[in-house]
Amino acid sequence: MRFLRRAGGLHPASIAALLLGLAVGTPLSAQRYLLANGSALDAADVTLKGDALVQTRKLAGGGSMEQRFPLATITRLDWPEPTELAETAALITAGHGQAALAKITPLYRQFDPFPKTPGSWWTEAAMLRLRALLAAGSPPVEITAAARDIMGRATDPEAVGNAKLALAEVDLRGGKDSIADALIDQIVTDAPAAVRARAWLLRGDLALKRKAYEQALEAYLRVPALFGTLDELMPAALLGSARAYKGYGDKGRAERAYLSVMDEYPNSAEAAVAKAEAGL
């Protein structure tokens, strides 16, 4: 995240100047499009029209004119991290898929013309939009289109890997278990850690669906064991382990796993599911 660094070690006069700048409203990071010729356009001064940004200028004698800046001439975006990213992630965690989709879609469209431009937030917005579609239970055709869009335009290996996993999840939901299983095997080869962790969750879901409870438990428990820093995946891993324990009759461990979800991640969507399934 691109936040202002701590001002430790600055001369008092420098700190005073910084505070004065904040007081009069000087932006710490503007929303600007940087052009190949070295100039910059404030986002508030331009409108996207087709394949160009258009700036309307007032003429001295009255009237106005439009100046076009082709998107191909934009070399970088100078843009602070949009607050919608964290807000959308929180909505998804809480299980509010439709609200998350409504929150992230305008941002995704805003950056859609700049998927590979340095400084663009398109990849982050596209991934959150895909997760929101999955959380909202959107039609498979919409999820598939969003995943393939990322696979075709993103350059980040983690984004591409997670998009492929979304396709596997669509197959799993559609009853194409063997296709989903084969796709997961293909994806995880040399995949980033976050992709491998999500793959183990899907493997657990596949095994649980087949009532292979021990295999499911092994898959779910790999997530906290090997990917413990990915805290956003822990509620799903714990809920999956509770279901696996319950499946092969270990009620005590199942109940403890359900309670762990509710106690450690009370604001997650999985906590509400755990409470219902545990009868608490």
Side-chain angles (χ1 to χ4, degrees):
M1 294 184 180
R2 305 171 190 172
F3 294 122
L4 180 67
R5 298 293 183 185
R6 183 173 59 88
L10 289 178
H11 189 278
S14 299
I15 297 175
L18 175 60
L19 293 175
L20 178 61
L22 291 174
V24 299
T26 301
L28 294 175
S29 183
Q31 296 180 347
R32 304 186 304 165
Y33 301 97
L34 308 184
L35 306 181
N37 63 7
S39 63
L41 299 170
D42 287 340
D45 295 338
V46 295
T47 303
L48 177 65
K49 293 184 179 179
D51 61 352
L53 294 174
V54 176
Q55 186 177 51
T56 302
R57 295 175 177 270
K58 292 184 179 180
L59 299 176
S64 62
M65 64 168 286
E66 287 188 346
Q67 185 173 0
R68 295 175 59 84
F69 301 88
L71 297 183
T73 65
I74 298 170
T75 59
R76 175 175 288 275
L77 274 61
D78 176 21
W79 219 280
E81 181 172 348
T83 58
E84 292 92 338
L85 297 177
E87 292 165 356
T88 300
L91 287 168
I92 292 171
T93 297
H96 304 308
Q98 289 292 350
L101 190 58
K103 173 69 69 174
I104 199 62
T105 296
L107 190 72
Y108 163 79
R109 290 174 178 165
Q110 180 180 7
F111 290 105
D112 191 53
F114 312 101
K116 298 179 182 179
T117 306
S120 171
W121 294 97
W122 179 82
T123 298
E124 293 85 348
M127 278 306 306
L128 283 168
R129 177 173 172 266
L130 177 59
R131 288 178 55 196
L133 286 166
L134 288 164
S138 300
V141 64
E142 294 183 17
I143 298 171
T144 299
R148 295 198 180 281
D149 182 36
I150 293 170
M151 291 162 56
R153 298 201 287 162
T155 57
D156 177 47
E158 183 175 322
V160 173
N162 280 319
K164 291 179 179 178
L165 281 178
L167 295 180
E169 187 166 345
V170 168
D171 287 331
L172 175 60
R173 293 181 181 185
K176 302 175 183 178
D177 296 6
S178 59
I179 296 176
D181 201 16
L183 186 54
I184 292 171
D185 286 337
Q186 176 188 348
I187 293 166
V188 297
T189 304
D190 298 325
V195 177
R196 297 199 308 275
R198 292 184 186 277
W200 280 113
L201 289 178
L202 267 183
R203 289 184 191 278
D205 292 345
L206 276 164
L208 198 66
K209 189 176 180 181
R210 295 195 301 265
K211 298 183 179 181
Y213 298 118
E214 291 189 16
Q215 292 179 18
L217 181 62
E218 180 184 357
Y220 290 129
L221 292 183
R222 280 180 180 262
V223 178
L226 301 178
F227 310 98
T229 58
L230 300 175
D231 197 57
E232 70 274 15
L233 302 183
M234 296 307 121
L238 284 170
L239 179 60
S241 68
R243 289 168 168 171
Y245 282 129
K246 186 177 180 180
Y248 67 72
D250 193 334
K251 294 182 179 179
R253 286 180 176 168
E255 183 174 332
R256 287 196 292 274
Y258 279 130
L259 288 172
S260 292
V261 180
M262 291 183 279
D263 291 343
E264 297 174 29
Y265 303 95
N267 297 321
S268 67
E270 288 82 1
V273 175
K275 184 175 182 179
E277 291 185 6
L280 299 175

